[in-house]
């Protein structure tokens, strides 16, 4: 059994977890703007969201949230194997690992990575909506699989667009900075 943490140590662990989550949210919000550097991609995505009867703002917010959750789930998996939770660890995760997670993780596995705290109201609303959608059936029940496909496609496109042989989440942040997003 691990030794109990002092209040100071516990506060540090909690704040470290929050910092990693905030970075996941930040990176998740960069995915679509980076993809949209080719404007036709945004037009096509908007057409698909419209055809699926998903409001554009809601759909894009959910894609960004989905990206943050996938990133955070990959971090949680790395922690489970003994890696320390840190920004450096997050930045070193290959985008290919996140792409793989979008294909292999079930909604309940992604939901398990949701932190208790939220960075802002937009995030809180999107996370709550994500939770609700994970239980939906009928046409609305198809939203998460469709948004998952959109996210997967966006990440694959960003990775393939890179000149790097194995781009990482840190590279995603660097691209956003270079594009004036960060």
């Amino acid at each position: 059994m691990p030794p109990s943490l002092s209040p100071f140590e516990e506060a540090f662990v909690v704040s470290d977890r929050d910092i990693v989550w905030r970075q996941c949210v930040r990176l998740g919000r960069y995915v679509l703007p980076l993809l949209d550097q080719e404007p036709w991609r945004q037009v096509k995505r908007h057409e698909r969201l419209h055809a699926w009867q998903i409001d554009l703002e809601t759909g894009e917010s959910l894609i960004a949230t989905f990206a943050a959750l996938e990133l955070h789930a990959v971090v949680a998996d790395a922690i489970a194997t003994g890696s320390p939770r840190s920004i450096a660890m997050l930045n070193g995760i290959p985008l290919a690992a996140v792409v793989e997670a979008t294909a292999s993780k079930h909604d309940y596995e992604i939901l398990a990575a949701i932190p208790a705290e939220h960075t802002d109201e937009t995030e809180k609303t999107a996370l709550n909506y994500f939770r609700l959608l994970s239980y939906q059936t009928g046409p609305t029940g198809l939203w998460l699989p469709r948004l998952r496909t959109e996210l997967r496609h966006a990440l694959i496109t960003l990775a393939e667009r890179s000149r790097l042989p194995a781009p990482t989440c840190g590279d995603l942040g660097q691209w956003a900075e270079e594009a004036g997003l960060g």
Side-chain angles (χ1 to χ4, degrees):
M1 175 167 250
S4 62
L5 299 175
S6 72
F8 175 76
E9 290 169 322
E10 192 171 301
F12 178 75
V13 171
V14 170
S15 66
D16 191 39
R17 181 177 31 232
D18 291 343
I19 290 168
V20 170
W21 170 246
R22 279 190 224 112
Q23 181 69 359
C24 289
V25 169
R26 193 171 138 249
L27 290 175
R29 289 178 179 172
Y30 291 155
V31 171
L32 293 181
L34 285 170
L35 185 69
D36 293 347
Q37 289 177 339
E38 298 171 305
W40 65 270
R41 292 189 184 276
Q42 181 183 48
V43 171
K44 289 294 195 183
R45 183 177 60 257
H46 287 182
E47 288 172 359
R48 283 189 298 275
L49 290 173
H50 179 72
W52 296 334
Q53 298 177 345
I54 300 173
D55 173 72
L56 294 179
E57 185 177 333
T58 300
E60 292 190 344
S61 175
L62 284 168
I63 291 169
T65 300
F66 215 142
L69 288 168
E70 291 288 1
L71 287 163
H72 202 255
V74 173
V75 169
D77 287 349
I79 291 165
T81 62
S83 297
R85 181 188 307 257
S86 70
I87 295 297
M89 189 268 297
L90 170 63
N91 287 338
I93 293 174
L95 283 182
V98 182
V99 169
E100 183 181 321
T102 62
S104 64
K105 291 204 173 293
H106 298 286
D107 296 341
Y108 62 86
E109 292 174 295
I110 297 165
L111 287 168
I114 293 178
E117 299 297 318
H118 311 293
T119 57
D120 58 31
E121 270 311 300
T122 301
E123 175 193 330
K124 181 179 178 181
T125 301
L127 287 170
N128 286 336
Y129 206 37
F130 188 94
R131 282 185 188 103
L132 287 172
L133 286 173
S134 68
Y135 296 103
Q136 293 296 312
T137 59
T140 310
L142 296 173
W143 283 21
L144 286 184
R146 289 174 172 165
L147 295 173
R148 178 188 307 267
T149 301
E150 284 295 315
L151 173 59
R152 189 171 176 1
H153 174 72
L155 292 170
I156 289 170
T157 301
L158 291 174
E160 289 176 348
R161 190 187 286 168
S162 172
R163 293 182 214 156
L164 301 170
T168 65
C169 293
D171 296 322
L172 183 67
Q174 181 65 34
W175 300 333
E177 231 173 82
E178 290 169 2
L181 301 173

